[in-house]
Amino acid sequence: LGGGGFALIRLAESGEYRALDFRETAPRALEPSAFLGEDGKPDIRRSLVGGLAVGVPGTVHGLYTLQREHGRLRWRPIVRPAERLARDGFAVPHYLAAQLARNRDGIAAHPAAAEIFLVDGEPPRAGSTLRQRDLARLLKALGRKGPAAVYEGPYAEALVSHVVESGGVISVVATIAVGQREARVEIGDRLSGLTVTGGDHNVERRVGREQAEQLGAGVAGSPDDADPIRLRGLWRSRIGHCENIQRGR
Protein backbone atom coordinates (compact mmCIF):
# COMPACT_ATOMS: atom_id res chain seq x y z
CA LEU A 1 0.00 0.00 0.00
CA GLY A 2 3.03 2.26 0.00
CA GLY A 3 4.81 3.72 -2.97
CA GLY A 4 3.06 4.98 -6.04
CA GLY A 5 2.78 4.54 -9.78
CA PHE A 6 1.56 5.67 -13.17
CA ALA A 7 -1.40 4.63 -15.30
CA LEU A 8 -2.06 5.04 -19.00
CA ILE A 9 -5.73 4.70 -19.98
CA ARG A 10 -7.23 4.40 -23.45
CA LEU A 11 -10.95 5.11 -23.65
CA ALA A 12 -12.53 2.49 -25.90
CA GLU A 13 -15.30 4.67 -27.31
CA SER A 14 -13.26 7.73 -28.24
CA GLY A 15 -9.74 6.30 -28.51
CA GLU A 16 -8.62 9.12 -26.21
CA TYR A 17 -5.63 8.60 -23.93
CA ARG A 18 -5.35 9.76 -20.34
CA ALA A 19 -2.40 9.53 -18.01
CA LEU A 20 -2.52 9.41 -14.23
CA ASP A 21 0.55 10.16 -12.12
CA PHE A 22 0.23 8.93 -8.54
CA ARG A 23 3.88 8.59 -7.67
CA GLU A 24 4.76 8.96 -4.01
CA THR A 25 5.81 12.48 -3.10
CA ALA A 26 8.56 13.85 -0.88
CA PRO A 27 7.40 15.15 2.52
CA ARG A 28 7.03 18.92 2.45
CA ALA A 29 9.45 19.36 5.37
CA LEU A 30 12.22 17.37 3.69
CA GLU A 31 15.37 19.32 2.84
CA PRO A 32 17.94 18.19 0.21
CA SER A 33 20.69 18.50 2.82
CA ALA A 34 19.15 15.54 4.66
CA PHE A 35 20.76 13.27 2.07
CA LEU A 36 24.30 14.54 2.59
CA GLY A 37 26.79 12.58 4.67
CA GLU A 38 29.05 14.01 7.34
CA ASP A 39 31.57 14.82 4.63
CA GLY A 40 29.01 16.97 2.81
CA LYS A 41 28.76 14.56 -0.12
CA PRO A 42 25.56 12.78 -1.23
CA ASP A 43 24.88 9.58 0.71
CA ILE A 44 22.67 7.48 -1.58
CA ARG A 45 21.92 4.97 1.18
CA ARG A 46 19.90 7.61 3.02
CA SER A 47 17.50 7.72 0.07
CA LEU A 48 17.13 3.94 0.03
CA VAL A 49 17.03 2.79 3.66
CA GLY A 50 15.39 4.29 6.74
CA GLY A 51 12.82 6.99 7.40
CA LEU A 52 14.28 9.48 4.92
CA ALA A 53 13.63 7.01 2.12
CA VAL A 54 9.87 7.04 2.78
CA GLY A 55 7.69 9.24 0.61
CA VAL A 56 4.02 10.09 1.14
CA PRO A 57 2.35 7.11 -0.60
CA GLY A 58 0.13 7.59 -3.64
CA THR A 59 -0.81 4.01 -4.58
CA VAL A 60 -4.13 3.79 -2.75
CA HIS A 61 -5.40 7.17 -3.88
CA GLY A 62 -4.27 6.48 -7.46
CA LEU A 63 -5.98 3.09 -7.70
CA TYR A 64 -9.13 4.50 -6.10
CA THR A 65 -9.15 7.34 -8.63
CA LEU A 66 -8.79 4.86 -11.49
CA GLN A 67 -11.70 2.80 -10.22
CA ARG A 68 -13.94 5.79 -9.55
CA GLU A 69 -13.34 7.50 -12.89
CA HIS A 70 -12.87 4.56 -15.25
CA GLY A 71 -13.91 1.34 -13.48
CA ARG A 72 -17.07 -0.69 -13.81
CA LEU A 73 -16.80 -2.81 -10.67
CA ARG A 74 -17.50 -1.55 -7.16
CA TRP A 75 -14.48 -0.75 -4.99
CA ARG A 76 -15.07 -3.23 -2.17
CA PRO A 77 -15.25 -6.39 -4.35
CA ILE A 78 -12.02 -5.28 -6.03
CA VAL A 79 -10.17 -5.10 -2.70
CA ARG A 80 -11.64 -8.29 -1.23
CA PRO A 81 -9.36 -10.82 -3.04
CA ALA A 82 -6.28 -9.00 -1.73
CA GLU A 83 -7.76 -9.05 1.76
CA ARG A 84 -8.36 -12.79 1.45
CA LEU A 85 -4.79 -13.47 0.27
CA ALA A 86 -3.35 -11.47 3.16
CA ARG A 87 -5.58 -13.22 5.72
CA ASP A 88 -5.42 -16.82 4.46
CA GLY A 89 -1.93 -16.60 3.00
CA PHE A 90 -0.32 -17.68 -0.25
CA ALA A 91 2.44 -20.06 -1.25
CA VAL A 92 5.79 -18.24 -1.29
CA PRO A 93 7.15 -18.41 -4.86
CA HIS A 94 10.81 -19.21 -5.49
CA TYR A 95 11.59 -15.65 -6.54
CA LEU A 96 10.21 -14.14 -3.31
CA ALA A 97 11.98 -16.76 -1.18
CA ALA A 98 15.28 -15.88 -2.85
CA GLN A 99 14.69 -12.14 -2.36
CA LEU A 100 13.88 -12.57 1.32
CA ALA A 101 16.94 -14.77 1.84
CA ARG A 102 19.15 -12.21 0.10
CA ASN A 103 17.83 -9.41 2.33
CA ARG A 104 17.62 -11.40 5.55
CA ASP A 105 19.93 -9.18 7.60
CA GLY A 106 18.16 -5.99 6.54
CA ILE A 107 14.78 -7.50 7.42
CA ALA A 108 16.05 -8.72 10.77
CA ALA A 109 17.10 -5.18 11.67
CA HIS A 110 13.43 -4.09 11.59
CA PRO A 111 11.31 -6.01 14.14
CA ALA A 112 7.98 -5.30 12.44
CA ALA A 113 9.26 -6.63 9.10
CA ALA A 114 10.98 -9.58 10.75
CA GLU A 115 7.73 -10.60 12.43
CA ILE A 116 6.12 -10.94 9.01
CA PHE A 117 8.89 -12.13 6.72
CA LEU A 118 11.10 -14.26 8.99
CA VAL A 119 10.23 -17.50 10.76
CA ASP A 120 12.41 -18.11 13.83
CA GLY A 121 14.88 -15.67 12.35
CA GLU A 122 15.01 -17.33 8.95
CA PRO A 123 13.27 -16.45 5.67
CA PRO A 124 10.40 -18.73 4.61
CA ARG A 125 11.08 -21.48 2.14
CA ALA A 126 9.52 -21.58 -1.28
CA GLY A 127 6.12 -23.23 -1.09
CA SER A 128 5.49 -22.30 2.55
CA THR A 129 2.51 -20.10 3.42
CA LEU A 130 2.93 -16.40 4.10
CA ARG A 131 0.14 -14.66 6.01
CA GLN A 132 -0.19 -10.95 6.82
CA ARG A 133 -3.11 -10.57 9.19
CA ASP A 134 -2.48 -6.90 10.04
CA LEU A 135 -2.48 -6.13 6.32
CA ALA A 136 -5.72 -8.09 5.95
CA ARG A 137 -7.39 -5.92 8.59
CA LEU A 138 -6.22 -2.76 6.87
CA LEU A 139 -7.43 -4.01 3.49
CA LYS A 140 -10.81 -4.79 5.01
CA ALA A 141 -11.04 -1.20 6.27
CA LEU A 142 -9.84 0.05 2.88
CA GLY A 143 -12.65 -1.82 1.17
CA ARG A 144 -15.21 -0.20 3.47
CA LYS A 145 -13.86 3.35 3.79
CA GLY A 146 -11.76 3.88 0.68
CA PRO A 147 -8.52 5.91 0.90
CA ALA A 148 -9.54 7.45 4.23
CA ALA A 149 -8.60 4.11 5.84
CA VAL A 150 -4.98 4.73 4.85
CA TYR A 151 -4.57 8.51 4.84
CA GLU A 152 -6.46 9.26 8.04
CA GLY A 153 -6.91 7.73 11.48
CA PRO A 154 -4.90 5.02 13.28
CA TYR A 155 -2.99 3.70 10.25
CA ALA A 156 -1.81 7.15 9.18
CA GLU A 157 -0.79 7.94 12.76
CA ALA A 158 1.15 4.68 13.04
CA LEU A 159 2.89 5.34 9.72
CA VAL A 160 3.94 8.84 10.77
CA SER A 161 5.18 7.60 14.13
CA HIS A 162 7.25 4.79 12.62
CA VAL A 163 8.78 6.99 9.91
CA VAL A 164 9.76 9.69 12.42
CA GLU A 165 11.27 7.09 14.76
CA SER A 166 13.30 5.84 11.79
CA GLY A 167 14.73 9.30 11.06
CA GLY A 168 12.14 10.55 8.57
CA VAL A 169 10.29 13.87 8.55
CA ILE A 170 6.71 13.01 7.60
CA SER A 171 4.44 14.95 9.93
CA VAL A 172 1.00 14.71 8.36
CA VAL A 173 -0.43 12.11 6.02
CA ALA A 174 -3.34 13.63 4.14
CA THR A 175 -5.28 12.58 1.09
CA ILE A 176 -2.99 13.24 -1.84
CA ALA A 177 -4.08 15.35 -4.78
CA VAL A 178 -3.47 13.08 -7.72
CA GLY A 179 -2.74 15.03 -10.90
CA GLN A 180 -4.50 13.64 -13.96
CA ARG A 181 -3.30 14.87 -17.30
CA GLU A 182 -3.30 13.79 -20.89
CA ALA A 183 -0.01 13.22 -22.66
CA ARG A 184 1.18 11.65 -25.90
CA VAL A 185 4.65 10.70 -27.03
CA GLU A 186 4.78 9.97 -30.74
CA ILE A 187 7.66 8.31 -32.56
CA GLY A 188 5.89 7.68 -35.83
CA ASP A 189 8.45 7.55 -38.62
CA ARG A 190 11.16 6.18 -36.36
CA LEU A 191 9.12 3.05 -35.68
CA SER A 192 7.69 2.09 -39.04
CA GLY A 193 4.53 4.08 -38.49
CA LEU A 194 3.89 2.95 -34.93
CA THR A 195 2.80 5.54 -32.39
CA VAL A 196 4.08 5.10 -28.86
CA THR A 197 1.84 6.71 -26.26
CA GLY A 198 2.91 7.45 -22.69
CA GLY A 199 2.41 9.80 -19.79
CA ASP A 200 4.42 12.98 -19.48
CA HIS A 201 6.34 11.97 -16.36
CA ASN A 202 10.09 12.30 -16.99
CA VAL A 203 10.83 8.62 -16.46
CA GLU A 204 7.97 7.39 -18.59
CA ARG A 205 8.54 9.89 -21.39
CA ARG A 206 12.32 9.86 -21.62
CA VAL A 207 12.85 6.14 -21.12
CA GLY A 208 9.89 5.24 -23.29
CA ARG A 209 11.39 7.20 -26.14
CA GLU A 210 14.88 5.74 -25.63
CA GLN A 211 13.58 2.18 -25.35
CA ALA A 212 11.44 2.56 -28.45
CA GLU A 213 14.41 3.83 -30.44
CA GLN A 214 16.63 1.02 -29.11
CA LEU A 215 14.02 -1.59 -30.00
CA GLY A 216 13.71 -0.17 -33.48
CA ALA A 217 17.45 -0.19 -34.03
CA GLY A 218 17.86 -3.65 -32.49
CA VAL A 219 15.20 -5.41 -34.55
CA ALA A 220 16.49 -4.30 -37.91
CA GLY A 221 19.32 -2.33 -39.49
CA SER A 222 17.52 0.93 -38.84
CA PRO A 223 14.38 1.97 -36.93
CA ASP A 224 12.56 2.61 -40.20
CA ASP A 225 12.97 -1.05 -41.19
CA ALA A 226 11.57 -2.42 -37.93
CA ASP A 227 8.75 -4.95 -38.08
CA PRO A 228 5.69 -3.52 -36.24
CA ILE A 229 4.43 -6.86 -34.90
CA ARG A 230 7.78 -7.84 -33.42
CA LEU A 231 8.25 -4.35 -32.07
CA ARG A 232 4.98 -4.57 -30.19
CA GLY A 233 6.06 -7.83 -28.56
CA LEU A 234 9.46 -6.50 -27.56
CA TRP A 235 7.95 -3.28 -26.26
CA ARG A 236 5.56 -5.16 -24.02
CA SER A 237 8.36 -7.37 -22.70
CA ARG A 238 10.48 -4.36 -21.73
CA ILE A 239 8.01 -1.76 -20.61
CA GLY A 240 7.97 -3.09 -17.04
CA HIS A 241 11.69 -2.44 -16.75
CA CYS A 242 11.70 1.16 -17.97
CA GLU A 243 11.95 2.82 -14.59
CA ASN A 244 14.76 0.52 -13.42
CA ILE A 245 16.68 1.27 -16.59
CA GLN A 246 16.27 4.99 -15.98
CA ARG A 247 17.60 4.67 -12.43
CA GLY A 248 20.66 2.86 -13.68
CA ARG A 249 21.61 5.57 -16.16
Side-chain angles (χ1 to χ4, degrees):
L1 298 179
F6 311 105
L8 180 66
I9 307 104
R10 182 181 185 276
L11 303 182
E13 294 183 359
S14 64
E16 176 187 4
Y17 288 89
R18 294 182 181 176
L20 188 67
D21 178 357
F22 49 97
R23 280 298 301 265
E24 63 277 22
T25 57
R28 186 166 297 177
L30 185 63
E31 296 290 340
S33 59
F35 298 102
L36 299 180
E38 295 180 358
D39 58 0
K41 296 180 180 180
D43 182 356
I44 192 172
R45 184 170 175 79
R46 296 189 180 194
S47 68
L48 300 174
V49 179
L52 289 174
V54 180
V56 181
T59 296
V60 170
H61 198 288
L63 296 179
Y64 187 78
T65 299
L66 285 172
Q67 184 275 333
R68 187 180 69 248
E69 297 188 3
H70 303 291
R72 295 183 178 180
L73 302 177
R74 293 167 51 222
W75 174 250
R76 191 167 186 178
I78 294 174
V79 178
R80 193 170 290 134
E83 175 195 342
R84 184 171 59 250
L85 277 175
R87 182 186 66 245
D88 300 338
F90 62 91
V92 175
H94 288 280
Y95 174 78
L96 177 57
Q99 288 289 93
L100 293 175
R102 189 176 300 116
N103 293 282
R104 177 192 172 281
D105 292 343
I107 295 171
H110 300 276
E115 185 178 351
I116 298 171
F117 296 110
L118 298 180
V119 180
D120 296 327
E122 298 298 327
R125 295 183 177 182
S128 61
T129 301
L130 177 63
R131 296 181 177 86
Q132 297 173 268
R133 293 188 174 88
D134 287 341
L135 176 59
R137 285 190 284 271
L138 177 57
L139 287 169
K140 185 174 183 178
L142 177 62
R144 292 199 312 265
K145 302 179 182 178
V150 172
Y151 297 112
E152 303 171 12
Y155 175 80
E157 294 169 3
L159 173 62
V160 169
S161 175
H162 181 71
V163 170
V164 171
E165 289 175 3
S166 301
V169 295
I170 288 180
S171 57
V172 176
V173 178
T175 301
I176 301 172
V178 179
Q180 182 172 331
R181 52 191 182 273
E182 300 173 10
R184 296 198 64 162
V185 179
E186 298 187 2
I187 317 177
D189 294 338
R190 299 297 301 278
L191 287 175
S192 191
L194 291 180
T195 299
V196 178
T197 304
D200 61 359
H201 186 279
N202 286 338
V203 170
E204 189 174 354
R205 181 179 67 251
R206 178 179 172 185
V207 181
R209 181 180 294 277
E210 290 179 358
Q211 285 292 290
E213 291 176 351
Q214 290 172 15
L215 287 172
V219 171
S222 70
D224 293 336
D225 298 328
D227 173 56
I229 295 178
R230 190 175 178 191
L231 269 174
R232 289 191 183 98
L234 287 172
W235 177 263
R236 288 169 182 164
S237 72
R238 292 196 184 187
I239 197 168
H241 302 288
C242 281
E243 186 170 349
N244 290 333
I245 292 171
Q246 172 65 28
R247 289 172 178 168
R249 288 183 59 82

